[in-house]
Amino acid sequence: MENTLSPLLEEYQLGDLKLKNRVVMASLTRGRATNPELIPTPIMAEYYAQRASAGLILSEGTWVNPQSIGFINVPGIYTQEQVEGWKTVTKAVHDKGGVIFSQLGHIGAGAHPDLQKGELPVGPSPVNIQSQSFTPEGFKDTVTPREMTAAEIHSTIQDYKKAAQNAKEAGFDGVEVHAIAGMLIPQFLSIATNRRTDEYGGSLENRARIIFEILDAIIEVWDSSRVSIKFSPVMISHVGIVQPDEETIPLFKYILKKLDSYNLAFVHIVGPAEDLSGTPVDQLQEDYFAHFRNNYKGRIMANLGFSKESGNKILSEGNADFVSFGEPFIANPDLVERFKHNVPLSQSDRDTYYTGEENGYITYPKALITE
Ligand SMILES: Cc1cc2nc3c(=O)[nH]c(=O)nc-3n(C[C@H](O)[C@H](O)[C@H](O)COP(=O)(O)O)c2cc1C
């Protein structure tokens, strides 16, 4: 039976973009750009087109320059060949009536010399983030990166701008800046990994500076209503020493207040994956998304562990404007239709998350729904 009392399934006018619903496909790195040039492959176009009934698709994280590469077979958006590859993806999604943003990322110190032609990865400071990098030989421990010069920071910001320009040329409808733990931006935000003494380190305002310089560069290319950013303020597992610290809460208050004036499409917030008791951010545990709602005037996209029920609930309560779903979209290309018709969700096979070509990628069937 069709379920009509569902805020998730309501249309949404996002600036001049009409979204069919408020179910967003969150970025999912799937490792199917299996060529040395990291060009999107034909199966990627099919994969995204299969999921075009989402109100909005956020592409997998894509690299803004060669230095940003930190995971095998992940596509870039810094060469013309990559742009041509992405054109087939955006066309396939648009042909199915979908809307798709490109997620722009740089992994910074999370890279590995094996992915950097033997060179050290770069980071805000020479501090090993104590995480792991997915290299051609499997997962390897991260190393101590080389400190970026201020000039390198400025040229990296220009690379984000060029990538945003490329995303426009490739036919994307907007961009999302990838700033969740594990990536370069949170390495600047974290006290543990940013020891700089110039204008990009020290005070929380200085540590956050790179965010605004990246956004300022991107909105020279895109109207701000097509630009978004994804944060994971309380991510704890699998991210090495880039952890919430005693300045995380004032830092995010500062960032969100400053973002008020940007008129972004949305700020995308990843929720807590574990109990925050005893951590420096334990006061966020209760009513997590309300804290962000109360500190930011613009649109909020909520993420992590949502179901149809909890997604509808947070929208009804008003603590988010959209809900994004990551893993549920892997085995349920028709997630929206399943929500609509109360069809149980299929489980995804973790063994094919990052490898397997077509298998576990474009092979998940849609549910048989009779209208
Ligand atoms: C296989 C896989 C790949 C992911 N790749 C990305 C990525 O490229 N960029 C990103 O921001 N988040 C990435 N994520 C995180 C998801 O976007 C999402 O934040 C997370 O899965 C929590 O949402 P969920 O509980 O609905 O899955 C990935 C998650 C998974 C499972």
Side-chain angles (χ1 to χ4, degrees):
M1 199 183 72
E2 189 168 323
N3 179 349
T4 46
L5 293 172
S6 175
L8 276 173
L9 300 176
E10 284 167 3
E11 279 184 1
Y12 190 93
Q13 193 70 37
L14 177 60
D16 56 357
L17 272 181
K18 180 174 261 184
L19 309 187
K20 294 187 294 264
N21 53 66
R22 301 201 269 172
V23 177
V24 175
M25 175 177 167
S27 296
L28 293 166
T29 289
R30 303 299 311 275
R32 263 57 174 198
T34 45
N35 57 79
E37 297 80 22
L38 305 180
I39 299 170
T41 49
I43 58 170
M44 288 171 56
E46 185 167 348
Y47 164 81
Y48 282 110
Q50 287 175 345
R51 289 154 179 79
S53 59
L56 170 66
I57 295 175
L58 299 166
S59 84
E60 63 210 278
T62 63
W63 310 122
V64 299
N65 64 21
Q67 252 183 354
S68 57
I69 300 171
F71 211 93
I72 59 163
N73 299 332
V74 171
I77 189 149
Y78 55 87
T79 70
Q80 193 56 40
E81 292 73 24
Q82 292 163 350
V83 171
E84 297 306 317
W86 281 117
K87 282 184 186 171
T88 65
V89 173
T90 59
K91 179 170 187 314
V93 171
H94 290 152
D95 285 350
K96 289 268 166 83
V99 178
I100 182 167
F101 279 22
S102 168
Q103 194 189 46
L104 309 178
H106 189 309
I107 209 160
H112 191 277
D114 290 2
L115 295 160
Q116 293 290 327
K117 301 196 167 99
E119 301 282 319
L120 284 179
V122 295
S125 302
V127 178
N128 187 333
I129 62 168
Q130 294 172 33
S131 182
Q132 289 211 311
S133 182
F134 192 17
T135 77
E137 293 168 14
F139 280 98
K140 287 194 178 176
D141 290 343
T142 50
V143 300
T144 302
R146 182 174 63 74
E147 177 169 309
M148 294 171 89
T149 63
E152 278 178 307
I153 296 174
H154 299 153
S155 68
T156 301
I157 291 165
Q158 289 310 305
D159 291 339
Y160 273 91
K161 179 177 173 183
K162 180 73 172 79
Q165 177 79 58
N166 286 345
K168 197 170 221 183
E169 191 193 331
F172 283 100
D173 300 294
V175 294
E176 177 176 83
V177 174
H178 187 353
I180 73 170
M183 305 302 286
L184 178 69
I185 292 173
Q187 294 159 20
F188 271 88
L189 299 181
S190 163
I191 295 171
T193 49
N194 184 344
R195 309 262 170 88
R196 301 181 73 91
T197 53
D198 63 3
E199 72 268 33
Y200 294 101
S203 66
L204 62 83
E205 292 85 355
N206 278 355
R207 282 182 281 123
R209 183 180 308 279
I210 192 167
I211 294 174
F212 302 101
E213 293 190 353
I214 289 172
L215 290 174
D216 289 343
I218 292 176
I219 59 185
E220 286 175 24
V221 177
W222 283 95
D223 188 88
S224 63
S225 66
R226 301 294 188 99
V227 178
S228 58
I229 185 162
K230 182 179 183 189
F231 295 114
S232 63
V234 299
M235 198 173 277
I236 293 170
S237 298
H238 317 298
V239 289
I241 60 171
V242 182
Q243 301 270 341
D245 56 45
E246 61 274 18
E247 287 196 11
T248 297
I249 291 176
L251 174 73
F252 273 93
K253 278 193 177 157
Y254 168 77
I255 292 171
L256 293 172
K257 184 150 187 46
K258 209 162 147 90
L259 286 179
D260 274 343
S261 63
Y262 273 71
N263 187 30
L264 296 179
F266 51 86
V267 171
H268 192 174
I269 303 281
V270 182
E274 48 236 305
D275 186 1
L276 301 178
S277 312
T279 72
V281 286
D282 59 358
Q283 60 177 281
L284 297 181
Q285 177 80 40
E286 195 129 330
D287 287 335
Y288 179 81
F289 288 100
H291 293 276
F292 294 88
R293 192 55 138 187
N294 294 338
N295 282 284
Y296 179 59
K297 295 199 174 82
R299 287 172 284 257
I300 288 189
M301 182 177 291
N303 172 253
L304 200 128
F306 280 94
S307 61
K308 178 178 134 183
E309 290 69 29
S310 58
N312 277 326
K313 183 163 182 281
I314 192 169
L315 294 180
S316 315
E317 288 171 355
N319 282 328
D321 301 285
F322 319 93
V323 181
S324 77
F325 298 82
E327 283 189 277
F329 263 107
I330 294 179
N332 301 282
D334 54 346
L335 187 66
V336 172
E337 289 77 9
R338 292 187 192 222
F339 283 170
K340 202 167 173 185
H341 297 278
N342 295 317
V343 177
L345 302 190
S346 301
Q347 292 306 308
S348 47
D349 170 15
R350 284 172 181 266
D351 290 343
T352 53
Y353 274 15
Y354 304 115
T355 57
E357 292 287 352
E358 295 187 4
N359 186 27
Y361 189 58
I362 52 172
T363 52
Y364 290 107
K366 294 187 176 177
L368 286 173
I369 295 166
T370 45
E371 295 281 341

